[in-house]
Amino acid sequence: MHISEGVLSPQVWIGGYVVAGVIVAATIKKLKPEDLPKISVITSVFFVASLIHVPLGPTSVHLLLIGLVGVVLGWAAFVSIFVGLTLQALLFQHGGITPLGANACMMGIPALCAYGIFSLRKNFNIKHSEAIFGTLAGAIAIFLAGISLALLLAMSGDEFLGVAKLALLAHVPIMIIEGAVTGFAAVFLQKVKPEILEGNALDASGY
Amino acid sequence: MHPDIDKYAHLTSPIHRWDPRVKIAFMGISIFTIATLNQLPAIGISFAFCLSLVLISRLPLSFVTKRLLPVTIFLLPFFIIIPLTMPGETTVKVLAFSFNLDGLTIAARVYFKALSIVMLIIIMMGTAPFSDSLKAMERLKMPAMIVQMILFTYRYIFVFLLELRRMNTGMSSRNFVKKTNLHTVKTMGNFVGVLLVRSFEKAEKIYQAMLSRGYDGTLKTFFEYEIVARDYVKGSLVMLVCIILFVGDKLL
């Protein structure tokens, strides 16, 4: 899901670049050289995972996994999405260079929110907390991304209001599927390799 | 889904010979200039300009049109949705729908602007090997950490694509068929989880191998770029077109 070239008005894409630039700069400050390969690995897994299609009635949707990026990478999620989108714009002509900042905000900020939601689970001493909070993180991330998409389009001009409404509607089924996939993946990771959740792998010193 | 971006990187053309740093800088300026255009005539001229650059670059047209497909798929619905949903005077009634003709102009503006920009991206990335372009971006003061993450991600994508294919074969040989149900979603969740764990473990090994070969977090290259006067001449020509387009667009 990305906004293509030519749609956003200059105010919106410049604003997108400013916000994205601030978040990327803040993240880079915290990064150590040994984090780069780890973030890249996870970025490319998500890149590849977005090729997985899940059938939905007569059609199928591909996974976005914005929420799972947040669940796995924690505070570094934004920069991962930024890098992924840059590659998609440069190599595959999905999205674009001018809307890159706006697209990164549209998907990256929800990913950070997903991280926040998922880390709330420690405050609740309940069974299946990974499943519940993972599902919430996955679904809410898509919800926020859908709203941001609609807002960015609407801000670019009244003529895009109709497109914005349709785009928002299209996100409802995706929300449900993403929530479920993220929930199951979070449970799996908690069981198999809990140390790669919530960006913990980045804080670990060396291997 | 191999990007094949390097497929025609070794042709010879004035654009292939252009120093990657100068090329990327001026292509970038053109991209952002075109993105600010509003008037259909200016957008038309920019489209012609980008098309002529494609011809100069000698990139095969089939290669370019294939890459214009995603943006076309994304934007073609605009030609129907915008006229249908935009309020305005110049409407034509077709059956029960009111069709606003101004919406068509808006959709055309968006579409041709997008096509022009995407053509520039294809020329920018398609006329040099991807690694050379990245090196040039680092020289242009793109943060080194971002450049390296792009490079690593690019390398790993192909490794994990193979992994994905292997796992898909494994699932279908166990008679797994995707359907709209909870079982499918659960399987996909676990599938992504396995992919993450396997890739992460593989990455740890790769990182150790890199460390043992002297990786210290910086990008090292064996050659340096050299800019000649001709590179700047090409840059000035592109810059001139950008200024004319920008000023013309605002004056119209």
Side-chain angles (χ1 to χ4, degrees), chain B residues 88 95 201 210 220 239:
Chain B
L95 299 169
E201 284 169 357
M210 279 165 51
K220 296 203 168 48
M239 195 69 210

Side-chain angles (χ1 to χ4, degrees), chain A residues 68-120:
Chain A
L68 196 59
V69 180
V71 166
V72 173
L73 278 180
W75 49 269
F78 192 93
V79 99
S80 158
I81 285 175
F82 182 83
V83 167
L85 288 174
T86 310
L87 264 178
Q88 284 197 318
L90 292 181
L91 298 182
F92 300 94
Q93 285 74 47
H94 288 274
I97 290 188
T98 48
L100 177 62
N103 279 336
C105 291
M106 173 178 94
M107 296 169 69
I109 295 174
L112 293 177
C113 294
Y115 164 51
I117 294 165
F118 190 65
S119 56
L120 282 179

